[in-house]
Amino acid sequence: MYRIILCNTMHRVLCCLILLVGFGGRIVAQEGKSSYDFLNIPVSSHAHGLGGNNISIIEEDITMAYQNPALLGQEMDMQLSLNYMRYVADMNIAGVSFGKAARARGAWSVGMQYFGYGEMKLAESNGVVTGTFSPKDIIFNGMFSYDITGRLRGGIDAKLVYSNYEQYSALALCVDLGVNYYNPETEWSLSAVVKNAGGQLKRFNETFERMPLDVQLGLSKTFRHAPFRISVTAQHLTRWKMPYTAINDKLTDTEDNLVEKNKFAANLFRHFIFAADYVPSQNLYIGLGYNYKTRSDMSTYRRNFLSGFSLGAGIKVKMFSIGASYAQHHIGGNTFMFNLTAGLSQFLR
């Protein structure tokens, strides 16, 4: 009988690796409250370049609907999108999405996302390595959105999540519910989303793992006389206090130099992501985002100056749109994401 790691513990370790991996230095793990934290990894390179989460920008990009299903619309009719992320520690994330208009005011889409965590050693309880295995998570999703009024849209995203870790597997079902208000005259966009509401259908073992339920608010504003758009996204609104552990450089003992940060300002800013886009035309954007929570989560002796920042850009040429983003949240790990979207309706003309 193989003893890999206790299922839920192993899953937390994997999620911790996804979000908080450090190389060549110490890392202070924050969060890890859910075995399904990978659900919060962005699918859109645009969202990744804007701090890792944005629920309010208005774009003809089907991958942004993964941030907020109310961003899905008829303007994405017959869109096919491929996404790929090269994560740290040999982790790879890839997926495909397809969208279609539905009658006069609706739209739907289907998609799949694959999370591969590389190869790991398989060992017996006495520590003898007997082989390797490749843990993975797969998400199958279906979305629907509807224009309630000319400026208000609602959407739902249902996600079936399958996880497999050697001999252990689990199945979960959750939904995202979102609304978006967009005024094309003033170019204000306001959104609200409830993410990952649901639970496990099949457990890893005897314990039900909870989903990373979250409530988020977002706003974006495009300036009429300047090619810029700013965004603010508020997340983790189901809880106020989000203390984190940091390193006190004044102390040298490895066990006693960790201090908890739980002041008002730290808790406040760990809820917000700030972002800006340079948008000289509808066919080009360059985005920059700052996520203080990511930066504080990555507190190490070898803190990277760029930690918490991310950069993205996208261009549209005829029926094709290409997007790419980059982040280096830790000195030893780079994250690169790529999107390719095609408007299939233009091929059928």
Side-chain angles (χ1 to χ4, degrees), residues 285-345:
Y285 75 84
I286 300 174
L288 176 68
Y290 178 70
N291 188 328
Y292 176 72
K293 181 180 182 301
T294 298
R295 182 173 179 83
S296 55
D297 282 344
M298 291 293 179
S299 297
T300 69
Y301 281 128
R302 303 174 64 192
R303 176 189 289 276
N304 177 18
F305 174 76
L306 297 177
S307 180
F309 289 95
S310 56
L311 178 68
I315 187 170
K316 182 178 181 180
V317 181
K318 295 184 178 180
M319 71 285 291
F320 292 102
S321 297
I322 300 173
S325 58
Y326 172 83
Q328 188 185 40
H329 296 313
H330 187 276
I331 194 170
N334 301 311
T335 302
F336 176 79
M337 191 168 192
F338 175 79
N339 285 149
L340 174 63
T341 302
L344 299 183
S345 60

Side-chain angles (χ1 to χ4, degrees), residues 7 11 36 163 165 168-170 200 202-205 209:
C7 296
H11 206 156
Y36 290 88
S163 302
Y165 303 98
Y168 300 100
S169 64
Q200 283 186 305
K202 179 181 180 296
R203 299 169 290 182
F204 282 106
N205 50 22
E209 295 294 328

